[in-house]
Every structure is written in structure tokens, then in C-alpha cells.
Amino acid sequence: MTREYTTTRDIVGPLLLVEGVTGVTYAELVELEYPDGTRSLGNVLEVDGDVALVQAFQGTRGSNPSETKVRFLGRSLELGVSRDMLGRVFDGLGRPRDGGPEIIPDERVSIYGSPINPTARDFPDDFIQTGVSSIDGLNPLVRGQKLPIFSGSGLPHNQLAAQIARQAAVLQRSEDPGKVGGKLEGEFAVVFAAMGITFEDADFFMTEFRSTAAIERAVLFLNLADDPAVERIATPRMALTTAEYLAYECDMHVLVILTDMTYYCEALREVSAARKEVPGRRGFPGYLYTDLATLYERAGRVKGRKGSITQVPILSMPDDDKTHPIPDLTGYITEGQIILDRALHRSGVYPPVAVLPSLSRLKQKGIGPGKTREDHADLSNQLFGAYARGLQAKELAVILGEAALSDTDRAFVAFADAFEQRFIRQGADEERSVEETLRVGWELVALLPRAELKRIKDEFVEKYMPAGEAVRV
């Protein structure tokens, strides 16, 4: 039931304080009509007796409290969903941005979703191939997992996000089900949401998807930097609502990429400041952890449903600080993190993934016989350990000089250099299968003395070591 009021008492930034209301509920959708006749949408942030705090999605510039009409629509913000959304580009509020027609929805659902009963969750245990060796080989993405990418200002996280999205959409459709990392049961789709990006970045993402035909299996939500900041709060929820429909109603496996979560959190801080709330760490609201959890926990698998939702949130760490509230709280909620390294970026390595501090907590659940290959876990552990030792030997050489290194230390230094150049480094358009990633890994461990391969079973060494290298001493 629609109820209209002209009892706005105060307007501060995107917020309106409306008095004398009845029957208003939290998160209820609101239509605002300003004195000049323009209209916009908003939602209810707080209700206290007969007073409601309303948040406008498109700003309140030029409005007048006494002449502003506020209509409470009796429902929350909804998104019309349909399979026809695949291949389309929308703005942050779900309106077509590609010049195409409006979607005729199969149904309209609240963007706030429904909580998943913890007992109904199924454990993530299926490998998702991204085509990026530093992820597939060492910190694999598992279907139903939430695995964020921690980046920094100026690092190529947008390029990596687009690469993962388009390659995942293509690689999961391999027609050889017996191939390592081959075809998944069910359809695969990508939902991509970008928040606070420039027009140049938006054009880059659309061009990347269209140039490879990955757009056919993707839904894009783009919120630009000059769009209202409040709209960014709705954008990831629009994307996740679409993903839930495709996963649980259409039985699809959906990869959701959210970039940049830092801009989303700054929009939360802006609204919190306008509400004059007591700030938490670095001015962010005290409920930042809870708010992020309402997004991240919408990933997963549900028992009895064929579809799944996998999340890759991307955030840029201010000053490359991992202890900043956004990456810090994100790390508590999610199952690991992929960290981009500025030193690797400066040395020309793409993607500049810092292998040692990166982590996928569900790694062991997504690899091995029947998922990737039997030697994947052992090889991954050996590569990780050898790279760590190689970096330690490099630091020792800086202090004591290269002459102080033993022959074994020099072998590990050579391995570390080769690892960065051959395993981590790959082209922005290079799609490496898991088989190719493992092949490169075996070629690298062949650079080490056989006695140092302590993390790999002898049977795997004999079976997979490149010809002529298995007897290396």
C-alpha cells in the first residue's frame, strides 16, 4: 500500500528525515518527488516511532523539505530477474546501460536476498579453472568459495578481474569431460559488478567481454564514479540477486566478481557520516564487518540445488596496508586471499601475484584425483617451499654477498627467478589450462637437486618429471 507524506523535517546530503509516518518498515522502497517535478528512489534506513530516516539513491540537490513528496511503496528495492539478463550491461540500480530494451522479468525479488540456513549449505569442493597459473596452481578457486583479491592503487587488478571473468566463462565449457579441469556439470555464468569506476574503466570492461564473446555468458553491473555514491551500496546486491536467481532457479554455476569493494565501503562511510553515527576504525561505521558479511555470505552451495555461487571480491588497500579495516575485516569473513605485489609489478611481472602471503583455505578440497590431477597438491607444496627458500637465499646474498651462497642456495635462487618469469608471469590474454600450469611447474622443479624435492612423492617424480630430469642429482 502506497503512503505519501509531505512532512519532511530535514534534508542532509542524501538523507531525509520524515515525520508523522505510520506502518513504515526498515529497507522499504521510497519514491521521492522534488519541487521541480523530478523523481528518484530511496530506501528506509531507520524507523523510530513515527519518524523515518530515508536514504535517496540519486542525491537531494535542489530539494526543499516543505515541498518534497515522499511515497512509501510498501516493499523493498527489487530487481526483475530473467535468463535474458545474460549478455546485458546494466547500471548500478539494474537499469539497461547498453542501449538495449528493458528486461521482461520472470519474477521480481528483493535485492537483500534470503539468509541461507547453515545446515543447508553444502561444502565447496569442486575446482574452478581461471586460466591464471598463480591461482590455479597454488591457490585454487573452489566452486562455492569466496576468495578476494587484495590489490593496491595503480596495480592491474581491473585487468586481472576482466581476465579471470572472461577466461573462466570460456574454460569451464571445455568439451572434453576427461580433461584436467574439464567441463563442469551444468551451465556456467559470470556476474560482474564494478563500483565507482571511471568511464574509461567501464569502456575497458565492456570491450574486454565483447571482444572474446564472453559477454554471452555474463551479466555486467557498472556504477561509474560520477554516479551517486549511495547507488554503490545497491550495486553488489543487484549483482548477487542476479547470481542467486541464475544459480538456484536456473541451476547454473555462477562466478561473481565485485570490484572495487573499497569504493563500496567508502560509500557506507559517507552515509554513516551523514547520519552522524559514532565512527569506528578510520571513520568507517562500526557495522562494517556485519555489512560486508551480508554480501560475502551470499556465496556458497545449497544442498539439493545444482547451482552454486562463487565470489571473487576485489579491493584496493589504501597505502598497501593489509591492516586497513576493509582488507582486515574481509580476511576474517572470506576463505583466503590473493595478494598483488607492487615490487613484482615494478619488475614487469603480470599478474603480480605475491605467492607467499596469498592463501586459499579450501585449496585441498578442490584439487587432487578426479578434480585436477593426483600430483597437484605435492607439486604445489614443493613450488611454494622452493620459492620461499629461494627468496631467503636472495636476502642472504644481499647481506653476505653471492660468494657466501652454497651451490644448493644458488640453485634455489635460480629457481626463484625462473618461477617469477615462467610460472607467475603470463600474458593478459594467455589462457593456461591446469595441465599446462602443472607442466610448467614440473619443468621448474627440475632445476632443483633431486635430493631437495622433499615434498613430492617419489612415484610422482618418476611419473611426471620431464624426460632426462628424473635422475638429476
Side-chain angles (χ1 to χ4, degrees):
M1 176 181 177
T2 302
R3 302 170 306 284
E4 181 176 309
Y5 297 88
T6 56
T7 54
T8 301
R9 188 179 78 189
D10 198 9
I11 299 178
V12 180
L15 303 181
L16 299 88
L17 197 63
V18 187
E19 296 180 317
V21 301
T22 57
V24 174
T25 60
Y26 171 74
E28 184 173 344
L29 186 63
V30 178
E31 183 182 65
L32 305 171
E33 184 176 342
Y34 300 118
D36 61 359
T38 60
R39 298 185 179 185
S40 70
L41 295 177
N43 68 343
V44 177
L45 287 182
E46 188 176 339
V47 180
D48 185 5
D50 65 346
V51 179
L53 184 65
V54 175
Q55 169 184 269
F57 288 139
Q58 296 174 316
T60 57
R61 181 175 297 177
S63 60
N64 184 319
S66 62
E67 299 179 18
T68 298
K69 297 179 181 179
V70 182
R71 299 185 186 94
F72 295 90
L73 304 183
R75 56 183 173 86
S76 63
L77 183 59
E78 296 176 339
L79 176 67
V81 291
S82 166
R83 284 183 66 103
D84 294 336
M85 297 178 76
L86 290 170
R88 298 294 304 275
V89 182
F90 302 90
D91 68 7
L93 289 177
R95 298 167 298 203
R97 196 176 203 121
D98 54 5
E102 292 281 347
I103 293 293
I104 300 176
D106 294 335
E107 58 180 295
R108 301 191 68 86
V109 293
S110 171
I111 67 168
Y112 299 100
S114 300
I116 300 177
N117 188 325
T119 63
R121 285 186 177 271
D122 204 358
F123 200 87
D125 62 356
D126 291 321
F127 176 77
I128 291 181
Q129 185 168 276
T130 67
V132 179
S133 290
S134 51
I135 297 177
D136 293 346
L138 299 173
N139 297 288
L141 184 61
V142 179
R143 195 192 311 174
Q145 182 181 12
K146 39 194 181 290
L147 184 65
I149 295 177
F150 291 178
S151 182
S153 178
L155 296 183
H157 48 271
N158 283 341
Q159 190 174 5
L160 179 59
Q163 182 178 3
I164 291 173
R166 69 170 188 268
Q167 291 182 177
V170 174
L171 289 169
Q172 308 310 314
R173 292 186 289 164
S174 169
E175 295 302 324
D176 181 5
K179 185 179 179 181
V180 173
K183 187 176 181 180
L184 292 171
E185 294 181 3
E187 297 180 80
F188 190 87
V190 173
V191 176
F192 187 95
M195 295 155 279
I197 62 174
T198 64
F199 179 82
E200 182 181 4
D201 287 337
D203 183 67
F204 164 76
F205 286 127
M206 289 189 288
T207 301
E208 283 289 298
F209 278 86
R210 287 171 176 160
S211 64
T212 59
I215 188 70
E216 298 175 5
R217 309 302 305 166
V219 184
L220 276 66
F221 291 87
L222 304 179
N223 167 262
L224 301 187
D226 61 347
D227 290 333
V230 177
E231 184 179 303
R232 284 170 211 149
I233 298 176
T235 302
R237 292 177 170 84
M238 291 283 176
L240 290 165
T241 299
T242 303
E244 288 171 345
Y245 173 77
L246 295 175
Y248 304 136
E249 301 299 329
C250 302
D251 295 333
M252 303 178 74
H253 298 295
V254 186
L255 174 62
V256 181
I257 298 180
L258 307 173
T259 182
D260 181 332
M261 292 303 297
T262 297
Y263 297 141
Y264 168 83
C265 294
E266 288 176 349
L268 280 181
R269 180 168 61 179
E270 180 178 325
V271 173
S272 176
R275 294 175 66 180
K276 298 181 180 179
E277 295 174 332
V278 177
R281 292 169 57 193
R282 303 204 185 184
F284 289 95
Y287 51 81
L288 180 62
Y289 178 91
T290 303
D291 192 279
L292 290 174
T294 63
L295 299 178
Y296 298 149
E297 293 299 340
R298 292 174 75 170
R301 304 174 64 183
V302 176
K303 295 176 181 177
R305 301 292 182 94
K306 296 180 181 179
S308 64
I309 298 176
T310 306
Q311 271 193 44
V312 179
I314 298 174
L315 57 91
S316 52
M317 301 178 291
D319 299 323
D320 294 351
D321 181 10
K322 289 186 289 185
T323 67
H324 188 277
I326 302 174
D328 187 32
L329 297 179
T330 294
Y332 276 111
I333 303 168
T334 56
E335 293 115 9
Q337 67 279 327
I338 304 296
I339 298 179
L340 302 190
D341 182 71
R342 195 169 297 278
L344 283 176
H345 177 62
R346 287 172 178 163
S347 65
V349 174
Y350 173 87
V353 175
V355 170
L356 299 187
S358 296
L359 169 68
S360 175
R361 293 189 178 96
L362 300 181
K363 166 184 173 180
Q364 299 299 332
K365 300 296 182 180
I367 62 177
K371 296 175 182 177
T372 53
R373 208 169 69 184
E374 58 182 352
D375 61 315
H376 192 160
D378 283 9
L379 179 61
S380 173
N381 293 337
Q382 184 64 64
L383 290 171
F384 186 93
Y387 183 53
R389 184 169 174 183
L391 293 184
Q392 288 177 344
K394 279 187 172 184
E395 293 175 357
L396 185 64
V398 171
I399 298 172
L400 301 179
E402 293 187 9
L405 299 182
S406 65
D407 291 340
T408 300
D409 288 336
R410 292 191 181 93
F412 278 103
V413 169
F415 169 87
D417 292 336
F419 181 81
E420 293 178 354
Q421 296 301 319
R422 296 184 55 193
F423 193 89
I424 299 178
R425 179 198 290 268
Q426 67 181 87
D429 298 314
E430 183 180 355
E431 301 176 4
R432 286 188 190 169
S433 66
V434 183
E435 288 178 322
E436 185 175 358
T437 293
L438 297 178
R439 177 184 59 78
V440 173
W442 276 107
E443 291 175 355
L444 289 171
V445 297
L447 300 174
L448 301 172
R450 171 64 184 275
E452 297 297 330
L453 304 184
K454 300 174 182 178
R455 301 171 186 260
I456 306 178
K457 295 178 181 178
D458 290 340
E459 59 190 90
F460 294 155
V461 174
E462 299 299 332
K463 183 176 181 179
Y464 295 107
M465 183 72 77
E469 298 290 349
V471 296
R472 182 185 179 92
V473 296

